[in-house]
Every structure is written in C-alpha cells, then in structure tokens.
C-alpha cells in the first residue's frame, strides 16, 4: 500500500466517521451543547460587566468550562466507538473493505477530533458577537491561542478514549474506563498517585521534603500540562482545576507541556494500534 493510498483511505474513513456522528445525532447534540455554553458564558460575562462597570475579558471566562467539557465529551463520545462497532459486527464489515486496523484507529481519532473540535470552535464563534454586543473585551490573539490549545486538548483526550475503546471488550467497561479516566485526570487524583507511592516507599510516612520526581509525575497529567501552557497562552491561567507555577520547572514550561500532550497522543495511538492489531474480533 502506497503512502498516498494509505492517506486517502485514512481521509475516507475519517470522513465516514464524521458522517456517522452526524447520522447518529451526536454531532448535533454536541453542537447545541457547545453553542449554548459559549453563548451563556458570553451573556453572563456581559451582565457582570454591566453590573460592576468594569472591563471583563471573554476568553478568560470561556477557558475553564470548555476545558472541563472537552475531555468529558471526548471520553464519553469516543470511548465506546470501536467496541460498539465490534459488538454490532460493523467492524468486521469495515475490515472487509480496504481499511486496515491501523486506519480504523487513526481514522477514529481524526474523525472524532474533528467533531469535538468543531463543537468547541462553534462555542467560540457564537460567544464573540454576543460578548462584543454586551461590551465584553475580546482579545483576538488570546482567542486564537486558546482555540489552538483546545484543539490539542481535543486530540489528546480523543486519542486516550480510542485507547480505552481498544482495550475493553464491552461498551459498559469502556464507559466505566472513560469515567474513571476523567475523574483521575480532572479531579486531581493523578497527583495523589505519586504521593501515595512516596508514602509507601518511605515506610508509610511522608518525608519532610517532596522529591522532584513526584512533581514531575504530577506534571504528566494532561490537564496539568494543558494548564501549564498558560505560560504561552495567558487565559489558560484561569482554569479552575490547576494553576500555572510562578517559577516553573523545566517540565512545567509551556514547551514541555506541549511535548507532554503530544506524548499522550502518540502513546495512546501506539497502544491502540498495538492492541487492536492483536485482538480477535
């Protein structure tokens, strides 16, 4: 199979995956959800600006809620995707066509990322005119930076969700895996894991100083990495689940944070392909 042929098959599969999301009304539901959220946040920011007679920046108001919603919909929408196709027999049909298992994995990541990123973009597009009409400040540079950061976040959690889908055999297990992943990453449980390991290896007591490796492992959380991008995209400093370090270590800098997110994407896709190619239908 030539590179051009593989690329065309990947594009075809991704396009069909997007169409599936549209036919199943998933894209419609996500679009409405994101649009309502963006419009509601912009309206709320406008009302606040009018009441306090102060300048309010729109992008900072959007970042936190959207940063929580994107991983939620990515995990909830994508985690059952491949396992459901396996259960219904659709996967057998797809693999009978000129689609390899690698194409199925990559196409699912690409197609579902397009759906989720389009919803997030729609949220920003709807929010801007509402904000401007109500006197809320909109910084186009910050808006562009946040849009790109949201795109990376969408790809990251879509790739993680596809990995969950290839590692599980039923939709129920995939859904539980997605829920557990969201809780671990978003609600700070990830940071407790190295602390628990430190407690055990230190003889069931905490040492007076926390080793660097504990903070490094904590920084590997994709949500923490997303926040650490705030050094380059300032509105990300407003997210509620984490804060940008005032004196970041090397692994907490924006460039390192981007590498961490890209690593999550790469490792998740690699695990998905490896698992899927070795799994019987």
């Amino acid at each position: 199979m030539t590179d051009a042929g593989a690329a065309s098959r990947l594009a075809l599969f991704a396009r069909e995956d997007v169409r599936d999301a549209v036919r199943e009304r998933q894209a419609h539901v996500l679009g409405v959800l994101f649009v309502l959220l963006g419009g509601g946040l912009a309206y709320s920011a406008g009302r606040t600006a009018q009441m306090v007679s102060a300048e309010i920046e729109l992008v900072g108001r959007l970042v936190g809620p959207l940063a929580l919603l994107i991983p939620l919909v990515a995990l909830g929408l994508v985690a059952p995707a491949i396992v459901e196709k396996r259960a219904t027999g659709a996967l057998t049909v797809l693999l009978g066509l000129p689609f390899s298992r690698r194409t199925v994995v990559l196409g699912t990541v690409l197609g579902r990322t397009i759906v989720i990123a389009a919803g997030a973009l729609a949220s920003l597009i709807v929010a801007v005119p509402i904000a401007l009409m109500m006197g809320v400040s909109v910084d186009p540079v910050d808006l562009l930076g946040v849009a790109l950061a949201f795109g990376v976040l969408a790809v990251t959690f879509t790739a993680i969700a596809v990995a969950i889908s290839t590692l599980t055999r039923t939709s129920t297990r995939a859904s539980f895996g997605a829920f557990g992943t969201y809780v671990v990453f978003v609600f700070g449980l990830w940071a407790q894991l190295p602390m628990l390991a430190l407690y055990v290896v230190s003889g069931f007591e905490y040492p007076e100083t926390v080793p660097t490796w504990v903070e490094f492992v904590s920084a590997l959380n994709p949500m923490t990495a997303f926040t650490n991008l705030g050094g380059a995209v300032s509105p990300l400093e407003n997210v509620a689940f984490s804060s940008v370090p005032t004196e970041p270590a090397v692994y907490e800098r924006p460039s390192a944070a981007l590498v961490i997110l890209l690593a999550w994407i790469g490792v998740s896709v690699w695990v998905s392909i490896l698992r899927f190619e070795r799994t019987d239908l």
Side-chain angles (χ1 to χ4, degrees), residues 154-254:
V155 180
T156 302
F157 276 92
T158 300
I160 292 172
V162 170
I164 293 172
S165 194
T166 59
L167 291 170
T168 52
R169 300 292 297 183
T170 66
S171 297
T172 301
R173 291 179 181 177
S175 297
F176 274 111
F179 175 75
T181 300
Y182 186 81
V183 170
V184 168
F185 286 150
V186 175
F187 291 100
L189 294 186
W190 176 275
Q192 302 306 315
L193 298 179
M195 291 300 296
L196 178 60
L198 177 64
Y199 179 75
V200 173
V201 300
S202 300
F204 297 97
E205 62 179 9
Y206 289 111
E208 295 182 359
T209 59
V210 177
T212 302
W213 67 266
V214 172
E215 297 178 354
F216 172 73
V217 173
S218 297
L220 296 180
N221 182 345
M223 295 303 290
T224 302
F226 176 76
T227 304
N228 288 340
L229 283 175
V233 185
S234 58
L236 299 187
E237 297 177 358
N238 297 301
V239 293
F241 42 79
S242 186
S243 59
V244 177
T246 54
E247 297 182 2
V250 173
Y251 49 83
E252 294 174 326
R253 294 174 182 172

Side-chain angles (χ1 to χ4, degrees), residues 45-195:
R47 293 286 295 173
T48 302
Q50 293 171 359
M51 287 189 293
V52 301
S53 300
E55 182 178 359
I56 292 181
E57 169 60 40
L58 171 67
V59 180
R61 291 299 186 98
L62 294 176
V63 167
L66 286 176
L68 293 173
L69 181 59
I70 289 173
L72 180 63
V73 298
L75 291 168
L77 175 68
V78 183
I82 292 179
V83 71
E84 284 182 350
K85 289 179 180 178
R86 180 190 288 121
T88 60
L91 200 53
T92 303
V93 175
L94 285 172
L95 294 176
L97 299 173
F99 295 123
S100 66
R101 298 193 181 206
R102 181 186 299 266
T103 299
V104 171
V105 169
L106 294 176
T108 302
V109 172
L110 179 58
R112 297 305 166 115
T113 296
I114 290 172
V115 173
I116 296 167
L121 182 61
S123 181
L124 298 178
I125 292 174
V126 168
V128 169
I130 295 175
L132 292 176
M133 286 189 296
M134 300 192 69
V136 177
S137 174
V138 180
D139 187 320
V141 176
D142 284 348
L143 187 67
L144 177 60
V146 165
L148 294 175
F150 282 154
V152 175
L153 187 67
V155 180
T156 302
F157 276 92
T158 300
I160 292 172
V162 170
I164 293 172
S165 194
T166 59
L167 291 170
T168 52
R169 300 292 297 183
T170 66
S171 297
T172 301
R173 291 179 181 177
S175 297
F176 274 111
F179 175 75
T181 300
Y182 186 81
V183 170
V184 168
F185 286 150
V186 175
F187 291 100
L189 294 186
W190 176 275
Q192 302 306 315
L193 298 179
M195 291 300 296

